[in-house]
């Protein structure tokens, strides 16, 4: 892709006019590879490793589309009206692993499960089929698995109602006796499934908070990294009848959730999904994301010759706008003028000066020692 063609997508990429694409591409040498096509014509492409990750992501997304459909169905099944505005789903699109074009792809391909309906407030996704097999929360599945393991170890059956484990607090979290008593009483309350009918639950009651905690727990369990922004959950206040003090409710249950105050916006984590700040079970999309992060983290170095050529082409292109014309008569090979210009760019003195410009500050002068034998000043370089 040419650098000029990339300029058409400046708005889509969220880049300001004064931000140069050339500096952006040079900043991530592990992701972008600079190429040349014709004199002063710059093109770029993904590096081999970045392209491989892109293909892997397409494959994974294709394989997990069925799982994404299940996530949307479960999200709709938890809502009061079984309908959620697409704009609100878009807020958690990345967290759920949905593709950018989910409105035109997944939402349209499965009318047997949901459909897009037009409302006075915009398009919304509406459930068309209730599946009782999906109406089982991650917390219930985890508890059933735990009970099965315990019964297998004890080798006998205990007929008792569903009851969750005792409270396990992370190291370093010290609560008063009153707070521990409140958490224990809340935990011992009968479990209220996030998929149950909550239209009769009154706001401000322990039962309503029990249900709200179950909904937040289930939403986090559907996300790729078992976390999201608190603001993203509050967007669903109408659909799930969350209270105005949703953030305070989440903080009141440190045994279930961890709220990070880093950054401009608070994030909420599903505590049981992490061990020593590390996610226990990683989604395939997250594994690809981590590999991509490693490519982005490759330091910006000038060891790549392509980076120097890239800057040199840009400088010469700007100079030509001001009237500069390369003296191709200095090249005696039997080739056309465009190829001769490319030969001129490969001379050591130009590459050396370009390297100096890259490594120095804009207000720092560059001094050239004309007596240096390895840096001759040729006519076309003056």
């Amino acid at each position: 892709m040419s650098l000029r063609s990339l300029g058409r997508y400046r708005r889509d990429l969220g880049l300001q006019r004064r931000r140069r694409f050339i500096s952006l591409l040079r900043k991530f040498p592990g992701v972008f590879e600079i190429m040349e096509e014709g004199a002063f014509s710059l093109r770029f492409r993904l590096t081999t490793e970045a392209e491989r990750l892109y293909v892997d992501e397409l494959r994974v997304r294709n394989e997990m589309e069925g799982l994404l459909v299940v996530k949307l169905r479960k999200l709709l099944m938890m809502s009061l009206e079984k309908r959620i505005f697409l704009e609100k789903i878009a807020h958690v699109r990345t967290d759920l692993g949905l593709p950018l074009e989910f409105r035109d792809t997944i939402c349209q391909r499965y009318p047997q499960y949901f459909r897009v309906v037009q409302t006075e407030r915009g398009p919304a996704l509406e459930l068309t089929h209730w599946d009782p097999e999906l109406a089982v929360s991650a917390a219930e599945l985890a508890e059933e698995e735990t009970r099965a393991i315990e019964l297998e170890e004890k080798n006998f059956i205990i007929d008792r109602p569903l009851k969750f484990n005792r409270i396990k607090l992370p190291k370093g979290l010290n609560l008063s006796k009153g707070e521990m008593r409140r958490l224990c009483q809340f935990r011992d309350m009968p479990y209220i499934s996030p998929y149950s009918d909550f239209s009769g639950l009154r706001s401000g009651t322990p039962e309503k908070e029990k249900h709200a905690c179950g909904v937040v727990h289930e939403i986090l369990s559907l996300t790729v990294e078992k976390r999201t922004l608190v603001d993203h959950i509050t967007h669903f206040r109408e659909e799930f009848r969350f209270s105005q003090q949703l953030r305070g409710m989440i903080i009141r249950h440190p045994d279930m959730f961890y709220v990070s105050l880093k950054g401009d916006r608070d994030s909420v984590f599903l505590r049981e999904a992490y061990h020593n700040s590390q996610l226990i079970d990683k989604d395939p999309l997250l594994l690809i994301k981590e590999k991509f992060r490693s490519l982005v983290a490759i330091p910006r170095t000038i060891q790549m010759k392509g980076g120097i050529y890239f800057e040199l082409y840009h400088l010469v292109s700007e100079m030509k706008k001001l009237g500069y014309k390369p003296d191709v008569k200095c090249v005696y090979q039997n080739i056309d003028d465009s190829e001769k210009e490319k030969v001129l760019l490969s001379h050591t003195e130009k590459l050396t000066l370009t390297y100096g410009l890259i490594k120095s500050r804009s207000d720092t002068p560059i001094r050239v020692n004309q007596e240096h034998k390895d840096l001759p000043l040729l006519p076309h370089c003056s």
Side-chain angles (χ1 to χ4, degrees), residues 11 26 52 100 107 146-147 196 208 234 246 372 374:
R11 178 178 298 179
R26 283 181 51 231
R52 185 182 301 115
L100 179 64
C107 292
T146 301
R147 290 185 61 186
S196 61
K208 186 65 180 70
T234 59
L246 177 63
H372 202 291
D374 295 333

Side-chain angles (χ1 to χ4, degrees), residues 197-252:
D197 181 11
F198 59 95
S199 58
L201 297 179
R202 291 188 298 108
S203 179
T205 61
E207 291 77 15
K208 186 65 180 70
E209 183 165 329
K210 188 78 172 182
H211 173 266
C213 284
V215 172
V216 174
H217 186 285
E218 187 71 355
I219 292 177
L220 292 177
S221 70
L222 296 177
T223 61
V224 173
E225 298 186 57
K226 311 307 178 201
R227 65 176 178 128
T228 187
L229 294 175
V230 175
D231 290 344
H232 287 174
I233 298 181
T234 59
H235 283 304
F236 298 104
R237 179 177 285 117
E238 179 181 358
E239 286 76 9
F240 302 116
R241 297 297 188 269
F242 289 141
S243 68
Q244 296 293 328
Q245 293 79 31
L246 177 63
R247 181 180 179 277
M249 183 206 73
I250 295 175
I251 293 178
R252 284 199 302 270

Side-chain angles (χ1 to χ4, degrees), residues 151 155-159:
L151 294 178
N155 198 23
F156 66 93
I157 300 177
I158 301 178
D159 186 13

Side-chain angles (χ1 to χ4, degrees), residues 93-203:
R93 177 190 64 81
T94 303
D95 297 331
L96 295 177
L98 294 171
L100 179 64
E101 66 285 356
F102 79 97
R103 295 178 177 90
D104 302 319
T105 54
I106 295 180
C107 292
Q108 304 292 339
R109 293 174 183 166
Y110 302 91
Q112 67 273 31
Y113 300 135
F114 39 67
R115 63 183 178 183
V116 177
V117 296
Q118 297 297 328
T119 69
E120 296 180 355
R121 297 169 55 188
L125 193 64
E126 184 178 72
L127 187 72
T128 58
H129 174 69
W130 175 276
D131 188 350
E133 294 186 0
L134 291 182
V136 182
S137 67
E140 291 174 300
L141 291 175
E143 176 62 17
E144 290 178 1
E145 182 178 349
T146 301
R147 290 185 61 186
I149 295 175
E150 292 176 352
L151 294 178
E152 185 177 351
E153 293 176 351
K154 296 180 180 179
N155 198 23
F156 66 93
I157 300 177
I158 301 178
D159 186 13
R160 61 178 174 85
L162 191 65
K163 188 175 181 180
F164 292 89
N165 295 328
R166 302 303 299 176
I167 294 177
K168 296 180 180 179
L169 297 177
K171 294 181 180 179
L173 180 60
N174 299 318
L175 300 179
S176 64
K177 292 183 179 180
E179 292 174 321
M180 283 297 299
R181 188 183 305 109
R182 179 183 57 80
L183 289 180
C184 290
Q185 292 174 350
F186 186 85
R187 178 62 65 87
D188 292 339
M189 289 177 57
Y191 180 70
I192 302 178
S193 172
Y195 299 98
S196 61
D197 181 11
F198 59 95
S199 58
L201 297 179
R202 291 188 298 108
S203 179

Side-chain angles (χ1 to χ4, degrees), residues 229 258-267:
L229 294 175
Y258 168 71
V259 178
S260 173
L261 305 180
K262 295 181 179 180
D264 297 331
R265 305 165 74 183
D266 298 345
S267 298

